[in-house]
Each structure stands twice: as structure tokens, then as C-alpha cells.
Amino acid sequence: MSHLSVLFAPRQVLIAVVFLILPYFAMGCATTPYAYQTNVISHPEMAFEDGESQFERGKPKPILDGIGWVVGIPGKILLWDRRIDNHHVSEETEVALAEYLDKNGLDQVKVRINEYDPLGEWRRLRKNKSVSWGWRYTAGTLTALHYTLLPGRIIGGDNYNPFTNTINLYSDHAAVALHEGGHAKDFASRKYKGTYAVATALPVLSLWPEAIATNDALGYLRAEEDYEGEEEAYRVLYPAYATYVAGAASPLLSYGDSVITAGAVIPGHLLGRWKAHEVKQEQLARLSSRPAIQQVSSEGNEFQQAQDTDEPSVVQHIHFENESE
């Protein structure tokens, strides 16, 4: 280590602390009350054609998907979940995302589940006039080329492409799917979608939309009272966000990417599990309070029934007395 390295080591440590710790506090937790999307800015040309489905699945290809599963092993280890990039998305995950898109009015978002359709993506790039042509044929072209030349069917990587308004799913995890849906929801309300996409692709600024999508997924699960789903979401979305933090910090630090990622993902797992534990404790508290509420309600019903039973007898007794007179 050179003298300059020794001199600037404390500063690097400080930068590392800022990038690896503070973003978690900025990210927060489940947003309450949750706001469903109401101000979608879209274009009529992006409406689906007759007979076209919003969700499309790639045909099963065991060998190809097996290769993709192996390529996705690093992601499985980092997030400690075998469902990441497993290229076998269940119907339950699809339904969870479909309900999310429907409730947020995102009816023009295309969802490709483990599918490789470059021609379809180039067509959607041309049609998506909610993004200005200048951005579509520059940055948008780069994203389409990336999709074409580096197919996610092999390399994985769940993502949302704002230039084609498409979600690509390769992981069988509902929280991951909702996170990508959160990106679609975020862009849906933006007037200058292309500018926003390019600006937030820059280092550091890229953490902003990731935090929005993460908070939206957590807030949605809380609003839907899916507490088990929320618990699972914390376990995977927090360490996933840590990988984004590591990516933003890498250009500013002299350490290797793997060291930075490991240093970020470990506290991400710890914090995610802590938040998941909080959700579980809240759920246990709700369950333990229900019998007491039901008991009070039951006693109240019994008392009301007793009153209803007694009142007719009093009336009947008075009626008989009047007859005897």
C-alpha cells in the first residue's frame, strides 16, 4: 500500500460507511398509507392488439434453462434464495404481479416470463411514443441491443425496460416481481420518461428509483395485508438493494467489486432479517389479540340475545295482568 493509499484510507472508509449504511435509512420500510397509481401517463399506440396477451411465457427448454440456472448461481448465493434466476416462474408469482398491475392501472406494461423475443421488443421500442424519439433511438436502442445480444433467458437478471415498457422475469419470487412492477409504476407517472431513465442510470442516482420500487413493493404487501409476503420481501429486497449500493460505491473505492458487494450485502441481509422479524412479531401480536376481541364480541352477542329474550316475557306478563283485570 502506497503512502497516498494510507493517507486516503480513512476517507475511503468514511465513503464506504456513507454508501453502505445511510442508503438503508433513506430506503425506509413499507410505505403507509400505500398510494395506488392514479396518474398514468401513457400512449394509445402501446395498447395491446386484439388477441395479444399482457403476459407471455417462453417455451420450456430444459437444457437452456438449466444453463441459465447455473449462470444464476452467484445471484442465488448473494441473495441466499434458490428462486433467484431459476428460470421457472410459478403461476402464483405471475398472479401476484398481475394483480399488482391491475390494481395500479398499469394495463400497457408487457410482462415476459422467461421469454426471449427480440423482434417483439424492437417493435415495442418503436411504438412507445410516451418516450421521446431522441431517447428511444439512442439509449433505448442500447437497451434493445443488450436484450438481443445478451439474452436474459441465459444470463438472467429480472428487470424493467422503460423504453419498451416491459418487465422481464426470470426469478420465481413474488417480491422480486413486485419490485419490477414498482419500477413500471414509478415510470408510469413520469412525463419525461426518457430523461428520467437516463438520469437515474448514472452512479449514485441509480439508487433513487431502486429505493422507490423497493418501498412500493413493501407498501403494497402491507396494504394488501399479505404479511407473510412482506416478511419474505424484506429478506430478499434489502440485500438486493445492498447490491445496488455496492455498484454505486465501486467507482469511488479502490477495493474490488466482490469485496464491496460482500461488505454491502451482509448488512443488507442482517437488516432485512431484522425487519422481517418485526413483521412476524406484529403478525403474532395480531393473532394473539383476535381471540380476546372475538370473546368480547361473543359476550356482547349473548348479552344482546338475553335482552331480546327477556323483553318479550315482560311484555307478555303485562299483557296477562291486563287480561286478569
Side-chain angles (χ1 to χ4, degrees):
M1 182 180 292
S2 66
H3 294 291
L4 287 176
S5 298
V6 174
L7 179 63
F8 287 102
R11 180 178 296 180
Q12 290 179 339
V13 172
L14 178 60
I15 293 174
V17 170
V18 171
F19 273 94
L20 302 183
I21 302 299
L22 290 185
Y24 294 119
F25 294 96
M27 184 170 57
C29 54
T31 303
T32 53
Y34 180 77
Y36 291 90
Q37 184 67 279
T38 57
N39 57 335
V40 175
I41 300 175
S42 58
H43 196 278
E45 285 197 23
M46 290 300 287
F48 296 113
E49 299 176 359
D50 293 339
E52 182 183 4
S53 175
Q54 183 177 17
F55 284 71
E56 291 186 5
R57 281 181 174 268
K59 295 181 180 179
K61 297 182 183 295
I63 296 178
L64 187 63
D65 293 335
I67 295 173
W69 192 96
V70 173
V71 173
I73 287 177
K76 295 176 179 64
I77 295 175
L78 277 176
L79 302 185
W80 207 245
D81 196 313
R82 66 179 62 185
R83 293 171 292 180
I84 302 301
D85 284 336
N86 66 346
H87 298 270
H88 186 71
V89 181
S90 65
E91 291 185 3
E92 290 78 10
T93 299
E94 179 180 347
V95 169
L97 180 57
E99 291 179 350
Y100 172 90
L101 296 178
D102 179 63
K103 292 178 179 179
N104 281 286
L106 302 173
D107 56 356
Q108 292 187 352
V109 177
K110 187 73 173 182
V111 180
R112 301 192 187 279
I113 300 176
N114 200 37
E115 184 187 44
Y116 177 66
D117 184 10
L119 292 179
E121 283 301 279
W122 283 100
R123 282 195 296 267
R124 288 186 64 81
L125 176 65
R126 178 183 57 81
K127 291 170 56 178
N128 190 14
K129 294 183 180 179
S130 60
V131 179
S132 66
W133 66 268
W135 286 126
R136 275 186 290 138
Y137 296 122
T138 52
T141 298
L142 292 177
T143 64
L145 283 173
H146 182 275
Y147 177 87
T148 303
L149 301 177
L150 298 172
R153 188 72 190 259
I154 296 177
I155 65 174
D158 307 281
N159 65 86
Y160 168 72
N161 187 343
F163 298 101
T164 62
N165 199 19
T166 302
I167 293 175
N168 295 290
L169 283 184
Y170 309 101
S171 301
D172 186 23
H173 201 298
V176 173
L178 295 178
H179 174 85
E180 301 307 329
H183 282 303
K185 177 185 173 185
D186 180 25
F187 274 90
S189 62
R190 306 286 178 179
K191 182 177 181 180
Y192 303 105
K193 303 181 192 296
T195 303
Y196 181 69
V198 173
T200 54
L202 298 174
V204 181
L205 293 180
S206 61
L207 297 176
W208 176 251
E210 297 298 343
I212 291 176
T214 298
N215 282 334
D216 190 86
L218 294 169
Y220 172 80
L221 291 168
R222 174 60 63 96
E224 295 293 315
E225 298 184 353
D226 184 358
Y227 301 112
E228 291 184 4
E230 184 183 356
E231 185 180 341
E232 279 200 352
Y234 275 115
R235 291 179 180 273
V236 72
L237 294 185
Y238 267 42
Y241 188 82
T243 63
Y244 310 139
V245 175
S250 295
L252 303 177
L253 302 175
S254 60
Y255 309 106
D257 290 347
S258 59
V259 175
I260 297 172
T261 301
V265 79
I266 291 173
H269 275 293
L270 294 176
L271 187 58
R273 276 157 174 70
W274 174 51
K275 297 295 293 184
H277 177 71
E278 284 188 340
V279 173
K280 187 173 184 179
Q281 292 301 114
E282 291 176 4
Q283 177 66 352
L284 290 175
R286 291 188 193 93
L287 293 175
S288 63
S289 64
R290 283 180 182 176
I293 295 174
Q294 291 175 353
Q295 183 177 0
V296 172
S297 177
S298 176
E299 291 176 353
N301 291 336
E302 290 177 358
F303 178 75
Q304 183 65 37
Q305 290 176 359
Q307 283 186 324
D308 294 341
T309 304
D310 292 342
E311 287 177 359
S313 63
V314 172
V315 174
Q316 187 177 12
H317 179 67
I318 294 174
H319 177 69
F320 288 153
E321 286 180 350
N322 290 336
E323 284 184 351
S324 62
E325 291 176 358

